[in-house]
Amino acid sequence: MSAAARDIAELARLGSSTVYEARGRRGLVEQRFQRLLPGSRVAGPARTVLCAQNDNRGVHELVSRLQPGEIAVLTMPEPEPVALIGDLLVTQLRERGAAGVLVDGAVRDLDELVGMGVPIWARWVHARGAAKDRRGTVDAPVRVGGATIRTGDVVVLDGDCVVVVEAEEVAAAVPLAQARERKEEASRRTYLTGAISYDLYGFRAQDQGEE
């Protein structure tokens, strides 16, 4: 496994909230997505597409360019509950080695998608289908929940949220997140002895001083 692959795997293990907090609360995608596969957590380099509005022709082109281990990030100019993917496109993504899929739009064929085992986060589940008339732009920088995601940036997805780490900052993000994890583990051990954060943070003394 390459150093870059190890870094990505470690970010997935550490999780979105730890990565977000460790980097000074940066990179959060401020949009709630449905995690279709319970318990799934992944990280990987993004492969983006800005589809034409309510049209998924661009997703078909993205599939042709996707590399193993990448996260397919599917967007439109204005998010709407229009299904950009269903089981046939996800079958192709799975066979090409997609680590996961982030859809700032809708998916359909929910039961089939869950059974396929590909980690997918979607804004909606809806049967309304997309057209296939306009090309869209693969590898365009896209905006999702106020965050910019470029092809090659690492996306971390789990049950908490979605976080993006710029490609050039991935190596630096790992030790920061590991340090955050160690700090939280130390706090957990302290709380298991019966101590409480109200006292350790000095809140009790502050509150009593205001009385």
Side-chain angles (χ1 to χ4, degrees):
M1 182 183 293
S2 69
R6 285 194 297 271
D7 285 344
I8 291 170
E10 183 68 348
L11 291 178
R13 185 193 69 79
L14 290 159
S16 60
S17 292
T18 297
V19 173
Y20 163 66
E21 292 286 353
R23 300 181 65 237
R25 298 188 172 182
R26 294 170 47 215
L28 181 64
V29 175
E30 293 278 8
Q31 176 62 51
R32 190 64 187 165
F33 289 88
Q34 300 179 54
R35 179 177 60 170
L36 304 191
L37 191 63
S40 56
R41 56 191 301 153
V42 297
R47 175 69 63 175
T48 67
V49 61
L50 178 61
C51 292
Q53 191 65 39
N54 300 336
D55 191 298
N56 76 349
R57 177 175 163 179
V59 180
H60 294 263
E61 183 176 351
L62 177 145
V63 169
S64 75
R65 300 196 196 181
L66 187 96
Q67 299 299 308
E70 291 183 335
I71 305 288
V73 178
L74 318 180
T75 70
M76 296 183 286
E78 296 294 333
E80 289 192 41
V82 174
L84 293 178
I85 57 169
D87 69 314
L88 295 179
L89 276 165
V90 173
T91 296
Q92 298 173 62
L93 288 167
R94 182 183 64 183
E95 294 307 303
R96 294 187 66 86
V101 186
L102 175 64
V103 187
D104 197 15
V107 302
R108 62 183 182 184
D109 306 322
L110 174 62
D111 293 338
E112 290 80 1
L113 297 187
V114 171
M116 293 171 70
V118 177
I120 299 173
W121 283 254
R123 193 157 173 173
W124 295 284
V125 176
H126 198 60
R128 181 183 170 195
K132 296 178 176 60
D133 300 324
R134 291 172 288 171
R135 183 177 180 186
T137 309
V138 177
D139 294 334
V142 297
R143 293 282 289 177
V144 182
T148 297
I149 305 176
R150 306 167 301 173
T151 285
D153 289 343
V154 170
V155 185
V156 184
L157 311 99
D158 56 26
D160 284 350
C161 58
V162 178
V163 168
V164 58
V165 180
E166 297 87 341
E168 60 273 17
E169 296 188 18
V170 170
V174 172
L176 291 174
Q178 290 170 331
R180 171 87 187 185
E181 180 185 49
R182 289 192 296 270
K183 179 181 177 182
E184 291 181 349
E185 182 55 36
S187 296
R188 186 174 296 106
R189 289 195 299 269
T190 300
Y191 299 148
L192 287 170
T193 69
I196 60 174
S197 56
Y198 185 53
D199 291 318
L200 294 177
Y201 286 137
F203 296 148
R204 187 192 303 273
Q206 293 176 26
D207 293 346
Q208 289 176 344
E210 293 174 2
E211 292 176 357

